[in-house]
Amino acid sequence: MIRYTLHSLRKRSGRNLLLILGLLALSSGLSTYVSANQNATVRVATTLNENWRGSFDILVRHPDAIQLTEREHGLVEANYLSVGKSGISIGQWKQIEQLTNVDVAAPVATVGYLRNRMGRITIHIPAQSALTLFRANVKINSNDGYNQRTIFSDSEYFLIKQQEAAPNDTKHAFDFVVASTVSGQGTDDYGNLDSHITTPPVIWTLVSGVDPTAERKLTGLAQAVTNGAYLKPNDGYAIERTSKDPNSGGSMHERSRNYGLNPDGPNFPLLYATTTYLSLPTTIKVDKLTVPDQAGLKKLQQAGSPQYRPDGTMINTPLDDLRETFGELNLPLVAAVVSSSIDLGSVLKPMVERPLNVDVGNPQQPFQLAPEFSMSNEDGLGKLYQPGAISYTPQQASTTAGSTLMLAAEPKAEAQTIISLTGEVAFRSLPEANAVLAAKSPPTGTNNRWSPFTFYEAGSYDLNRLPEAVRNPNPLTYVPLGIYTPPLVKLVRDADGKELPSGPVTLHPTINPASFIPGPPLALTNIASARFFRGDNCIDAIRVRVAGIDRYSPANVKKVEAVAAAIIKATGLHVDIVAGSSPQNVLVYIPGSADGKVAALGYVEEQWT
């Protein structure tokens, strides 16, 4: 039997060899497949653990804040902090804080926009030995990353001469302005002229309220403080004041904002960002022009002399007449003295005036930043504008857009007058916060500098010092924190729907407070202060982080769902679970103005959640 078996094997050796090789290959393949499958499982598990969870797990908002677009498509807009008709109450926030398995409940309350002057641009002209004419031109542009438009351009003229020294004055002679197109100019005892050329358009500072304790835990905001102190979670208003004269030296956080405007009123702490995200390329040119002849000088003298009616009222405006007369004379250029540029957006600080001096005597380095000083009530600090939500109209998706959701932003005509100087279109309403502030009117007999509220600088923070996960979030788990960076918006198509030849362009905010691309808050205060402006229901959103979660698992998913269900049961608020969500690109058409003066921007791509 054994011999028969061996004989059979020898007889079928070729077939058996192939069979054995096949079995070995199958065995090896199965082993490789099992190994590869195990590796793939490990990679999937690792990817889930690393990309399942963002900065927070649950987003809580008032039901009235949910837009129709979100209800229809199940997407949370990139900027979810627009002020709605109603907000979350302080009591509801406290309820959420106390729920089981809630690690952090970090509220955000949009207080609103405050008008913020940039600060004057002044010119310094050294004493001249003869009759001399200078023309200073200032042009301020606004750059959103794609378009650059001029928001301010003007020329001012300075005709100066040397006055003979007084008989008993052997020290120096005096310069004086013969004709100037600006008011408020003056010369020092040595004949040097210092005069403001212009006051640029205002910017707007968005103020938001946070809970300092929760924000420290969720985002690490405290580690980004560079000057002064971190915010304190006051239950009431901060009434801290100093007796220091606001015009004296010392750092800004040592002085009360609007010192003396309302000594009995609330004085709120503000934590200022050190950047504005604005790009305001500014060019300043100072030219020396040919001095007018006698006939020209006579015209200027007539233009610069006010004319009065019999009742004493002024007929003309001398400064405007002087500008027009200088323009009509069209005097030839003698020499270009200063021709330089600076980005004002890089030197601005929120709620602080920072004058810029232009030194004609130093054309190589003409720009000098003057000492900063705080805002005053004349700059509109007593008024507050609350940003509204953007309204959208669904658009028919084009074949080139694929399955991407397409919307069109709707302009808001009622806000256009407030932002007219920006030369842009308003997409958000900007109602004045009269409801709260109207009841806080000035006492009888107070001057017009009275303000219902004041601010002091608690400190400042540098956005670049925030944790890496906050500054550069994982794109797979990105959920907007709402207050540290502008929403990621890319212009991808022109107004005709054609792709940009140079590829997508990242857009950033401008000085337009009603822009489609809102800037993040540049000043933070506490929730107690936000309550002063918006009442008890002042909170727009609460970002909730669930405790005890370190990785993805079905059990942890259920834990997040259980916390979300508990929030709904306790408060009745709208809850979105963002853990496990991912960004979705939404294409939005940005139209131009109704009168055609501002062209359509085109199609932008946003990341909604």
Side-chain angles (χ1 to χ4, degrees), residues 449-471:
R449 286 178 54 81
W450 186 91
S451 175
F453 58 91
T454 57
F455 289 118
Y456 75 95
E457 182 178 354
S460 58
Y461 68 99
D462 185 352
L463 291 162
N464 293 319
R465 294 181 58 173
L466 289 167
E468 177 70 17
V470 176
R471 290 184 290 111

Side-chain angles (χ1 to χ4, degrees), residues 9 53 83-84 99 103 117 166 215 228 324 526 556 574 582 604:
L9 287 172
R53 194 185 194 200
V83 176
L99 291 175
D103 181 29
R117 264 197 345 204
E215 210 63 32
E324 184 177 347
N526 53 34
N556 283 337
H574 181 90
S582 61
V604 302

Side-chain angles (χ1 to χ4, degrees), residues 1 3 16 63 97 143 146 166 168 180 184 205 219 301 324 349 364 388-389 459 466 474 485 491 502 514 529 571:
M1 186 67 181
R3 280 202 304 270
N16 291 333
E97 270 191 323
N143 187 347
Y146 181 70
N168 298 325
S180 172
T205 293
T219 66
Q301 184 179 11
E324 184 177 347
K349 290 182 66 177
Q364 300 303 316
L466 289 167
N474 185 339
T485 57
L491 182 67
S502 58
S529 300
T571 64

